[in-house]
Amino acid sequence: MKYYSLNNKEHHSNFENAVVRGLAPDKGLYFPEWIPQLSTEFISNLKKLDPAEIGKHVISPFVGNEIPEAELQKILEETLSFDFPVKAIKPDVSVLELFHGPTLAFKDVGARFMAGSLGYFIQKGNLGKVTVLVATSGDTGGAVANGFLGVDGIDVVILYPKGKVSDIQEKQLTTLGQNIQAIEVDGTFDDCQGMVKKAFLDNEIIDRRQLTSANSINLARWLPQMFYYFLAYRQLETNNKIAFSVPSGNFGNICAGLLAKKIGLPIDTFVAANNANDTITRFMESQNYQAKQSVQTISNAMDVGDPSNFVRILELFGNHFKDLKQHLMAMSYTDSETNTAIRSVYEEHNYLMDPHGAVGYLGLKDFLKINPEYSGVFLETAHPVKFLETVEKASGAKVVMPDSIAGILDKKKKSFQLSTFAELKEFLLEVD
């Protein structure tokens, strides 16, 4: 499999180079030259296969022979070593829980797969030390920090917006030490992401450091998110058409779901459930893409005003809006609506959602009102404990503290603080 830049289709790359680079030299996102097709036999046999076998079948066409079969199997077994349960909330409404990994967030899958892939490429070649430079609006930072912790040949630098991630999220990315460095940015996630992209274009920085990104702009973070949908689909018992409602921020997760659909998984429709950062909701209504400065919400991992991966979604559908409209809906919700959903679902169904899952639930609920012939699944992307104060206040319930979280609460936070790209550049040039 080869990949081209979405800014210049004449630029091509193999999987390894695309993963190591993160972005193409022209700042474009990498996209596969062709979309493989899975056999109907594979789809019908999903229940008979274990998660690593499913992952291997799905990802192999995209990796090709660049990672040996035995090594890829090992990476997948480590990536998918926890549960991905689908639980019924009420008739035709289920939740896919993606928070059973080491950092209690859906991004554990992509972070672990990328860490394994990049670690293999470093060991086999002469890459030297690689710096993973990543921006986070919440859960990416912790998942990347945990996935890359102690990996030989890799330094990790994580930028996060000061005061705009939860206390537990901050602890997860600032207390590990070793090869992980955290930077508080006086600004928004979009500011952090803008600094990361600018660093990749700064010749002085890239002459000194070999940079790659672990945001979902990186192929090795984006592609393995397809696994969620296959692992969920095989647990469903319905003859209805199926819709997935995905809490959406940078749009990597839902983009992976749409790619899973394109390669053969029989999901009919996707709902992009957004908070007040409604850039794509407005686009789906007007066909006019207007990015805006992100605003802070209680579902902070979705506080993205200019989602990077949406350009990949457009490419999946050949930039034909009518085709996209047939398979994707977008809806937006306020913090008040999110809080109300957390309380009502807990009181009526004894299920406790985090704010992101609540937004996903609202999107599915509204979709099923106008499409009652469907069965739907919404994604619960983080454990409620990661938003402890918000969830307990909204629901009136007490969130049980997992041991993995209790163990970090008393650890000392260590981070650097900056507010401009010039300061980030100085940091990257000085810190080794």
Side-chain angles (χ1 to χ4, degrees):
M1 174 71 76
K2 297 290 185 182
Y3 298 86
Y4 59 83
S5 166
L6 289 179
N7 283 351
N8 176 15
K9 293 186 179 181
E10 299 302 314
H11 171 79
H12 299 271
S13 170
N14 62 7
F15 180 75
E16 177 180 348
N17 183 64
V19 170
V20 172
R21 282 183 176 273
L23 286 170
D26 57 19
K27 201 180 175 181
L29 274 64
Y30 282 111
F31 194 84
E33 286 188 345
W34 54 280
I35 305 298
Q37 296 297 301
L38 299 172
S39 68
T40 54
E41 181 182 8
F42 168 71
I43 299 298
S44 64
N45 287 328
L46 282 174
K47 294 183 185 220
K48 301 177 183 178
L49 303 175
D50 66 39
E53 289 176 309
I54 292 171
K56 185 177 176 183
H57 203 97
V58 170
I59 205 74
S60 288
F62 297 93
V63 176
N65 61 2
E66 296 184 56
I67 299 178
E69 185 175 349
E71 187 67 28
L72 182 61
Q73 180 73 24
K74 178 183 175 183
I75 292 170
L76 290 168
E77 288 174 356
E78 293 174 352
T79 297
L80 300 171
S81 61
F82 43 89
D83 294 331
F84 300 84
V86 173
K87 297 181 179 179
I89 301 296
K90 58 183 180 180
D92 295 322
V93 175
S94 298
V95 55
L96 169 60
E97 292 185 346
L98 297 175
F99 56 71
H100 294 277
T103 71
L104 309 183
F106 79 100
K107 296 180 181 181
D108 282 324
V109 167
R112 286 156 75 91
F113 183 82
M114 182 181 172
S117 300
L118 190 56
Y120 169 76
F121 292 139
I122 288 174
Q123 290 174 9
K124 86 169 184 71
N126 297 307
L127 293 178
K129 183 168 283 191
V130 173
T131 297
V132 175
L133 180 64
V134 62
T136 183
S137 56
D139 287 327
T140 292
V144 168
N146 183 277
F148 284 91
L149 182 66
V151 176
D152 289 340
I154 297 178
D155 287 332
V156 179
V157 178
I158 303 169
L159 278 66
Y160 69 99
K162 183 177 181 179
K164 295 181 174 65
V165 302
S166 75
D167 291 342
I168 288 174
Q169 287 174 322
E170 187 174 41
K171 286 283 189 178
Q172 286 184 314
L173 61 95
T174 61
T175 60
L176 292 175
Q178 296 188 50
N179 60 326
I180 312 297
Q181 296 171 310
I183 296 177
E184 285 183 86
V185 174
D186 187 12
T188 67
F189 168 75
D190 291 317
D191 295 325
C192 296
Q193 185 164 251
M195 289 184 187
V196 168
K197 289 181 177 179
K198 196 169 181 180
F200 276 84
L201 297 176
D202 189 293
N203 290 330
E204 193 174 356
I205 294 175
I206 61 179
D207 284 345
R208 184 81 62 88
R209 283 179 176 260
Q210 185 165 221
L211 296 180
T212 191
S213 174
N215 286 95
S216 54
I217 58 177
N218 192 300
L219 288 176
R221 265 285 320 279
W222 168 48
L223 293 172
Q225 293 179 111
M226 288 190 289
F227 302 159
Y228 312 142
Y229 301 94
F230 287 90
L231 296 175
Y233 180 84
R234 72 174 187 154
Q235 298 177 62
L236 298 176
E237 301 288 347
T238 181
N239 293 320
N240 294 344
K241 292 189 288 187
I242 296 171
F244 274 77
S245 180
V246 184
S248 299
N250 216 19
F251 276 70
N253 193 347
I254 196 168
C255 183
L258 288 162
L259 180 58
K261 172 183 172 64
K262 283 285 188 178
I263 67 176
L265 188 63
I267 300 171
D268 189 77
T269 301
F270 285 83
V271 178
N274 304 299
N275 57 24
N277 295 280
D278 60 353
T279 298
I280 304 307
T281 301
R282 290 181 289 110
F283 171 82
M284 295 302 291
E285 294 171 350
S286 67
Q287 300 186 50
N288 182 25
Y289 187 94
Q290 286 189 326
K292 68 176 187 180
Q293 186 73 13
S294 61
V295 296
Q296 187 173 1
T297 73
I298 59 173
S299 48
N300 65 282
M302 298 155 58
D303 292 350
V304 183
D306 188 10
S308 297
N309 282 289
F310 193 67
V311 66
R312 281 182 170 141
I313 292 177
L314 294 175
E315 188 74 4
L316 270 175
F317 290 89
N319 288 283
H320 295 141
F321 183 79
K322 287 184 178 180
D323 291 343
L324 174 61
K325 189 83 171 175
Q326 290 179 4
H327 304 286
L328 178 69
M329 295 182 64
M331 304 178 189
S332 296
Y333 300 95
T334 65
D335 280 355
S336 176
E337 291 171 314
T338 304
N339 279 320
T340 299
I342 292 172
R343 177 173 287 276
S344 64
V345 169
Y346 179 70
E347 292 178 345
E348 296 171 19
H349 306 290
N350 197 34
Y351 188 82
L352 200 55
M353 303 182 297
D354 93 293
H356 306 78
V359 172
Y361 168 80
L362 287 167
L364 181 60
K365 180 182 177 182
D366 284 347
F367 174 83
L368 292 177
K369 282 180 183 177
I370 56 177
N371 298 280
E373 72 277 15
Y374 278 74
S375 292
V377 181
F378 70 94
L379 273 55
E380 180 64 274
T381 55
H383 193 290
V385 77
K386 301 188 80 169
F387 308 92
L388 186 65
E389 184 177 342
T390 296
V391 172
E392 290 189 340
K393 182 178 179 181
S395 66
K398 184 71 175 176
V399 179
V400 177
M401 181 73 67
D403 292 342
S404 61
I405 296 298
I408 67 171
L409 293 181
D410 293 331
K411 288 187 176 181
K412 185 178 180 181
K413 163 187 164 182
K414 182 180 179 181
S415 66
F416 301 89
Q417 298 191 18
L418 56 80
S419 58
T420 67
F421 175 74
E423 292 173 304
L424 174 62
K425 180 173 180 177
E426 182 179 358
F427 176 88
L428 291 173
L429 293 177
E430 288 186 358
V431 176
D432 194 353

